């Protein structure tokens, strides 16, 4: 069902169509040609009783990485979940399940970002105070998986963490696993460059056999 620019977003966009919409928005952001869609009073009224986000974005709580800005989207377009390190604990997984079950959203993007503080701490094996230690335990297997890879250690670790998160989400039974297996859900890892604003969509690699540490 298509709509006009000022109405509710397209219901149940296919995974590829939703991904393309994010790619085009990020290209506008990089070029500084933002459209700022779906931000007016009419949009607020239209969404006061319902919502149909076309994508879920799981990202870090970092103040520099704001999904609605980097993908040039507006109110009700993205179901955004942000937590330090983008770690998929039970609450995060439940939120993703909710978007898929209630709104028919068919795309999840896991966005890691350049110079992520949580992954940096894991790479440096820094001791964490308070609950931060649970984040470190989750990220450590991704760090260990890339220690022998060429290239920048931190960049490799951030990307490996995003890919491992995708792997973990795709195996969450019954909701995420069933939709993923049937092809009605796409889960994509990505990497955000702070200075340029570019989002690189990464190839998904299911190669993480370590015990899964949930928080």
């Amino acid at each position: 069902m298509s709509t006009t620019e000022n109405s509710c977003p397209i219901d149940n966009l296919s995974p590829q169509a939703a991904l393309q919409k994010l790619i085009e928005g990020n290209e506008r952001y990089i070029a500084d040609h933002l459209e700022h869609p779906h931000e007016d009073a009419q949009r607020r009224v239209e969404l006061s009783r319902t919502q149909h986000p076309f994508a879920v974005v799981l990202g870090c709580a970092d103040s520099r990485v704001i999904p609605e800005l980097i993908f040039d989207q507006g109110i009700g377009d993205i179901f955004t979940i942000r937590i330090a390190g983008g770690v998929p604990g039970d609450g995060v997984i439940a939120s993703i399940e909710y978007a898929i079950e209630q709104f028919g959203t068919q795309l999840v993007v896991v966005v890691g970002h350049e110079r992520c503080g949580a992954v940096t701490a894991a790479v440096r094996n820094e001791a964490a105070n308070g609950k931060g230690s649970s984040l470190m335990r989750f990220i450590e297997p991704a760090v260990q998986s890339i220690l022998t890879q060429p290239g920048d250690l931190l960049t490799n670790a951030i990307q490996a963490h995003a890919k491992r998160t995708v792997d973990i989400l795709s195996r969450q039974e019954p909701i995420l696993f069933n939709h993923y297996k049937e092809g009605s859900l796409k889960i994509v890892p990505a990497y955000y460059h702070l200075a340029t604003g570019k989002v690189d969509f990464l190839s998904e690699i299911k190669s993480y056999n370590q015990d899964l540490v949930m928080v």
Side-chain angles (χ1 to χ4, degrees):
M1 180 191 334
S2 62
T3 62
T4 62
E5 176 65 20
N6 291 324
S7 60
C8 290
I10 299 170
D11 291 353
N12 300 324
L13 276 180
S14 71
Q16 192 56 47
L19 182 59
Q20 184 61 34
K21 196 173 179 70
L22 292 181
I23 291 171
E24 292 171 358
N26 183 240
E27 288 173 348
R28 294 193 300 270
Y29 179 68
I30 294 167
D32 203 20
H33 293 155
L34 298 172
E35 294 180 355
H36 297 290
H38 303 148
E39 295 181 353
D40 58 10
Q42 180 181 345
R43 179 68 167 181
R44 294 198 303 269
V45 173
E46 289 169 350
L47 294 180
S48 62
R49 296 184 179 276
T50 186
Q51 59 175 314
H52 296 283
F54 69 86
V56 175
V57 175
L58 169 58
C60 186
D62 192 295
S63 64
R64 300 166 293 181
V65 188
I66 304 169
E68 287 79 6
L69 289 180
I70 67 177
F71 292 118
D72 192 25
Q73 302 300 322
I75 302 169
D77 291 334
I78 298 177
F79 195 86
T80 301
I81 304 166
R82 298 176 67 188
I83 182 171
V87 172
D90 285 348
V92 168
I93 293 170
S95 297
I96 296 172
E97 291 175 340
Y98 179 77
I100 292 166
E101 291 283 274
Q102 295 297 316
F103 313 133
T105 310
Q106 298 185 35
L107 175 68
V108 176
V109 178
V110 177
V111 181
H113 69 91
E114 186 180 13
R115 301 190 185 97
C116 177
V119 181
T120 298
V123 167
R124 294 175 178 173
N125 198 26
E126 295 177 352
N129 296 322
K131 296 295 184 179
S133 59
S134 64
L135 300 182
M136 297 302 100
R137 287 198 303 272
F138 182 89
I139 297 170
E140 283 168 1
V143 175
Q144 293 299 316
S145 74
I146 52 82
L147 290 179
T148 61
Q149 290 183 8
D152 181 72
L153 178 61
L154 179 57
T155 299
N156 289 344
I158 293 167
Q159 294 184 0
H161 172 50
K163 292 176 181 180
R164 180 172 182 262
T165 299
V166 168
D167 188 18
I168 290 168
L169 292 176
S170 71
R171 290 193 256 154
Q172 296 302 308
E173 298 187 43
I175 297 172
L176 301 188
F177 176 77
N178 288 344
H179 282 277
Y180 189 79
K181 180 178 65 175
E182 293 166 1
S184 60
L185 174 65
K186 189 177 184 67
I187 312 176
V188 180
Y191 179 82
Y192 177 69
H193 298 265
L194 293 174
T196 65
K198 188 176 191 304
V199 176
D200 291 329
F201 292 92
L202 309 172
S203 299
E204 179 187 346
I205 302 175
K206 291 192 173 184
S207 59
Y208 301 98
N209 298 317
Q210 298 93 338
D211 292 336
L212 304 184
V213 181
M214 306 309 293
V215 297

